[in-house]
Amino acid sequence: MSRTQDMRKGATIQEVAQEANVSKSTVSLVLQGSDLIRSETAARVLEAARKLGYVYNRGAADLRRKGSRTIGVLINDLMNPFFAELLVGLERRLVDADYSVLMAHTGESLERQDKVLLTMREHNAAGIALCPVPGTSAALAKTLDAWGVPLVVIVRPIGPGNYDFAGYDAAQGLRLSTHHLIAAGHRRIAFLGGRPGPVYEQRLRGYQDALREGGIAFSRDLVFESGPTRREAFEQMRKVLDARPEIRAAVCYNDVVAFGALAALVERGLRAGADFALVGFDNVLYSAHSNPPLSTIDVRPEALGRHAAELLIARIENPGAPRQEFIAMPEFVQRQSG
Amino acid sequence: MSRTQDMRKGATIQEVAQEANVSKSTVSLVLQGSDLIRSETAARVLEAARKLGYVYNRGAADLRRKGSRTIGVLINDLMNPFFAELLVGLERRLVDADYSVLMAHTGESLERQDKVLLTMREHNAAGIALCPVPGTSAALAKTLDAWGVPLVVIVRPIGPGNYDFAGYDAAQGLRLSTHHLIAAGHRRIAFLGGRPGPVYEQRLRGYQDALREGGIAFSRDLVFESGPTRREAFEQMRKVLDARPEIRAAVCYNDVVAFGALAALVERGLRAGADFALVGFDNVLYSAHSNPPLSTIDVRPEALGRHAAELLIARIENPGAPRQEFIAMPEFVQRQSG
DNA sequence: CTGAAAGCGCTTACAG
DNA sequence: CTGAAAGCGCTTACAG
């Protein structure tokens, strides 16, 4: 490849102009695909650019234009396949619309969230997609509001503020899973996993609604919290099985919790679906192949990511438009765990 | 919050300078934490910046400096928890070193990979971390080489080229898993999943080495390919169980394949660990809680991501240094599936 | 210790 | 259809 010689690092529009015997305005226009330029000239410019190994400098263009096509994406828990799948849908839609994605994993750290949010502002992000860390204060909504950068919040609202929102009807989801177990004849149904917070309350409410509708009294001592990891859910479920052997059915906070519970069932020699009925929430890919396959509530994680992206893009293109929400309606998926 | 009034959008260094009665050079110096500036002056500048809601513009600074602190990260399969965990480690280390991450999910599309790679150059990325799409041509290595942007390739090499590499000894990994099954008394051990390619050959070789060391003849009709998804592995395993009931043990291409195989076992009423011995590869988080928990080969996905980040950072800081590799040594993890 | 000036690589009216 | 000029928000020698 002797052409490598010509590819001096960092040719600029100016050098391309020289090579093609035109001004840099012309080169800029050609690069933007303007039809103001004669096609013959355009061809000459393009050839010169190729020859010099020219690479467009988005930073410079963004500075001049005072805009950018990068979107900041913050994910709070990538270890949870729900968010990984959501991110796939979000990123795909954004890239298809010609945006670049500045991604940050906040773990569950509020500090990290604040830090990367600032960085994204410094990068002049055209918009932000935020899966907030649990415990994010409502003050953040105000701050982001003041910044005036288009924002879509995902799954977990962060209090009043001027942002779009993409999520699902969690109450309805848990209503469905609870109803399913009631219809299957269960009357003592546990609510398993999760930690108190806005999202949690919603789900708990759906559970309570279904119980009421089924004529079953709600009882605090059937709700068991746990962190959002398989391990924590596993340990919690273990305790439940040991201390409360009369419980034979549970709706779960999410699929990851259900997987942990499944593992505890196995350890105790119990068969999910036969000895104990378990229903998840999310319908992550894996739930179709767990052992046994998990009955769950489908909220279509990947599609949710796509919808969030669409909300954000719409907002960027039309900042003055009224606030929008996308709320996915969950569906029950019958498999074998319950 | 009446201060919101003062936070005019987009205050510049120039306006801060005016507010503080200094020149913009001084402001710039203060922002960089230079100790050339009297602390009294610095305090005045900082106060002015705060008052105006000043936000540093990285794009402008990068343009002037001709550098950037963003890293392009390309992941080929985020649906596979191995890569999600790897990304977590990678991102964390990068952000801790004050880099921003431009992330792209290439799915398994070479086209997408080419597209985002170009975008990342246009963003003037300081470095690139690439988990290449299977089938990436060696020509890409040359191209990236010519670009001269620091590059770390992860898990799957892309042919000769001047890049650092982070991966694991896959041959050794499969040697370990195969040895384990041999030691457990198995002589007819299948190699399950994956598609031919460089990474595949390595693993197959480890499998063959272990067989040879165990005095067992290698037989082509014990290797079964499948795509890298649970579903495809599930379907392949189903066929194996039906057509070749004499097979009672298998080493898997990776954990996702093992999970698919586990599901097929269940469907056929076979117990992993008792009726059929199965060993995975990767040790993704979930493998500790699958049913039954998966015996597997630990390659520490998250730590691998961290090491890849460290290689890249070192390269950026010292472009002339000799090429480096990080090769993790896999370890066998005994659980219950085999 | 601080300021004036040049310049990073683009885009965009404006003129011709 | 094309070019000359100004300017985006910074940093960095250079002078004082």
Side-chain angles (χ1 to χ4, degrees):
Chain A
M1 279 208 163
S2 62
R3 263 184 49 230
T4 320
Q5 300 167 339
D6 295 322
M7 303 221 255
R8 291 176 303 148
K9 215 194 153 183
T12 74
I13 221 183
Q14 175 63 61
E15 302 175 74
V16 173
Q18 229 164 289
E19 176 79 23
N21 271 309
V22 294
S23 76
K24 63 192 175 110
S25 321
T26 302
V27 174
S28 179
L29 258 10
V30 170
L31 259 26
Q32 293 174 69
S34 163
D35 52 1
L36 286 178
I37 309 297
R38 213 169 12 141
S39 66
E40 196 181 290
T41 313
R44 217 166 65 239
V45 168
L46 260 13
E47 169 57 18
R50 199 199 54 68
K51 184 172 167 206
L52 298 178
Y54 170 77
V55 177
Y56 184 68
N57 184 329
R58 291 198 188 220
D62 286 352
L63 176 58
R64 179 56 227 251
R65 280 214 182 98
K66 294 177 158 250
S68 88
R69 290 191 76 87
T70 71
I71 302 288
V73 174
L74 288 79
I75 305 287
N76 65 310
D77 183 12
L78 251 186
M79 299 296 203
N80 181 341
F82 169 78
F83 288 107
E85 293 173 27
L86 187 147
L87 176 57
V88 167
L90 185 63
E91 188 269 356
R92 169 150 204 122
R93 187 69 186 78
L94 254 17
V95 170
D96 283 347
D98 252 323
Y99 287 95
S100 298
V101 172
L102 265 181
M103 194 280 277
H105 181 232
T106 51
E108 300 286 23
S109 155
L110 289 166
E111 237 179 273
R112 254 181 132 65
Q113 181 170 273
D114 285 343
K115 174 180 171 179
V116 301
L117 238 16
L118 176 59
T119 305
M120 282 163 182
R121 268 193 95 196
E122 295 182 349
H123 275 293
N124 195 17
I128 289 184
L130 173 66
C131 299
V133 172
T136 297
S137 83
L140 186 67
K142 295 235 180 288
T143 307
L144 290 171
D145 210 346
W147 287 359
V149 31
L151 170 69
V152 60
V153 174
I154 302 173
V155 175
R156 199 186 299 272
I158 54 173
N162 185 31
Y163 53 81
D164 299 311
F165 181 76
Y168 41 71
D169 187 335
Q172 172 64 0
L174 259 107
R175 204 169 147 263
L176 288 177
S177 56
T178 308
H179 265 311
H180 169 73
L181 291 179
I182 294 173
H186 293 280
R187 298 194 56 87
R188 197 184 285 114
I189 300 166
F191 179 93
L192 187 67
R195 295 280 187 212
V199 174
Y200 185 81
E201 301 310 331
Q202 257 194 49
R203 297 184 197 202
L204 191 62
R205 185 159 49 72
Y207 163 74
Q208 291 170 315
D209 288 350
L211 290 180
R212 188 180 329 105
E213 288 157 9
I216 301 173
F218 166 70
S219 160
R220 262 286 154 203
D221 70 344
L222 282 174
V223 352
F224 304 92
E225 294 176 21
S226 91
T229 63
R230 270 166 292 246
R231 191 181 49 69
E232 290 168 276
F234 169 73
E235 280 158 13
Q236 177 62 289
M237 180 66 165
R238 231 185 199 168
K239 284 184 206 153
V240 172
L241 291 175
D242 291 346
R244 308 282 299 279
E246 77 280 11
I247 299 178
R248 322 291 294 192
V251 289
C252 297
Y253 178 77
N254 66 18
D255 281 354
V256 165
V257 164
F259 295 144
L262 232 35
L265 247 23
V266 171
E267 197 196 39
R268 293 298 187 253
L270 264 21
R271 290 160 306 157
D275 304 321
F276 197 109
L278 206 58
V279 183
F281 188 103
D282 279 345
N283 195 28
V284 299
L285 283 179
Y286 188 80
S287 63
H289 293 99
S290 60
N291 176 11
L294 188 68
S295 294
T296 191
I297 300 298
D298 189 9
V299 299
R300 309 211 299 139
E302 194 175 342
L304 185 54
R306 199 179 63 239
H307 282 113
E310 278 162 5
L311 251 36
L312 188 54
I313 292 169
R315 166 74 40 205
I316 291 169
E317 290 172 354
N318 190 354
R323 191 170 180 281
Q324 286 200 73
E325 289 195 348
F326 170 83
I327 305 293
M329 284 313 285
E331 288 178 19
F332 176 70
V333 180
Q334 171 81 66
R335 286 198 279 249
Q336 296 166 40
S337 68
Chain B
M1 279 208 161
S2 62
R3 262 185 50 230
T4 321
Q5 301 166 339
D6 294 322
M7 301 222 258
R8 292 176 302 149
K9 215 196 154 183
T12 73
I13 222 183
Q14 175 63 60
E15 303 174 74
V16 174
Q18 229 165 289
E19 176 78 24
N21 270 309
V22 295
S23 75
K24 63 193 175 112
S25 321
T26 303
V27 175
S28 178
L29 257 11
V30 170
L31 260 24
Q32 293 172 71
S34 162
D35 53 1
L36 287 178
I37 309 297
R38 214 170 9 141
S39 66
E40 195 181 290
T41 313
R44 217 168 62 240
V45 168
L46 259 14
E47 169 57 17
R50 199 199 54 66
K51 185 172 167 207
L52 298 179
Y54 171 77
V55 178
Y56 184 67
N57 183 329
R58 292 198 188 218
D62 287 352
L63 176 59
R64 179 58 229 249
R65 280 213 183 98
K66 294 175 158 251
S68 88
R69 290 190 77 86
T70 72
I71 302 286
V73 174
L74 287 80
I75 305 287
N76 63 311
D77 183 11
L78 210 41
M79 299 297 202
N80 181 341
F82 169 78
F83 288 107
E85 294 174 27
L86 186 146
L87 176 57
V88 167
L90 185 62
E91 188 269 355
R92 170 151 203 121
R93 187 70 187 76
L94 254 16
V95 169
D96 283 347
D98 251 324
Y99 287 95
S100 298
V101 172
L102 265 181
M103 193 279 277
H105 181 231
T106 52
E108 300 286 22
S109 156
L110 289 166
E111 239 178 89
R112 253 181 134 65
Q113 180 169 273
D114 286 343
K115 174 180 171 180
V116 301
L117 239 14
L118 177 59
T119 305
M120 283 162 179
R121 268 193 96 196
E122 295 182 350
H123 275 291
N124 196 16
I128 289 185
L130 173 66
C131 299
V133 172
T136 296
S137 83
L140 186 67
K142 295 237 181 288
T143 308
L144 290 171
D145 210 347
W147 288 358
V149 32
L151 170 68
V152 60
V153 173
I154 302 173
V155 175
R156 198 187 300 273
I158 55 172
N162 187 32
Y163 54 82
D164 298 311
F165 181 76
Y168 41 71
D169 188 335
Q172 173 64 0
L174 260 110
R175 204 170 145 262
L176 289 177
S177 55
T178 308
H179 265 311
H180 169 73
L181 291 179
I182 293 173
H186 294 281
R187 299 194 56 85
R188 197 183 285 114
I189 300 166
F191 179 92
L192 186 67
R195 295 280 187 211
V199 175
Y200 184 82
E201 301 309 330
Q202 257 194 49
R203 297 186 195 201
L204 189 63
R205 184 159 50 71
Y207 163 75
Q208 291 171 316
D209 288 351
L211 289 181
R212 189 180 327 106
E213 288 156 12
I216 300 173
F218 166 70
S219 159
R220 261 286 155 202
D221 70 344
L222 281 174
V223 353
F224 303 92
E225 295 177 20
S226 91
T229 63
R230 270 166 292 246
R231 192 181 50 69
E232 291 168 275
F234 170 74
E235 280 159 13
Q236 178 62 289
M237 181 65 166
R238 230 187 200 169
K239 285 185 205 154
V240 172
L241 292 175
D242 291 346
R244 309 283 298 280
E246 76 280 12
I247 301 178
R248 323 289 296 192
V251 288
C252 296
Y253 179 77
N254 66 18
D255 282 355
V256 165
V257 163
F259 294 145
L262 233 35
L265 247 24
V266 173
E267 197 197 39
R268 293 297 188 253
L270 264 22
R271 290 161 306 159
D275 305 321
F276 197 110
L278 206 58
V279 182
F281 187 102
D282 279 345
N283 196 27
V284 298
L285 284 179
Y286 189 80
S287 63
H289 293 99
S290 60
N291 177 10
L294 189 68
S295 293
T296 190
I297 300 299
D298 189 9
V299 298
R300 309 211 298 140
E302 194 174 343
L304 186 53
R306 197 180 65 239
H307 282 111
E310 278 162 4
L311 251 35
L312 188 54
I313 292 168
R315 165 73 41 204
I316 291 169
E317 289 171 354
N318 190 353
R323 189 171 181 282
Q324 286 200 73
E325 289 195 347
F326 170 83
I327 306 292
M329 282 313 285
E331 288 178 19
F332 176 70
V333 180
Q334 172 83 67
R335 286 198 278 249
Q336 297 166 39
S337 68

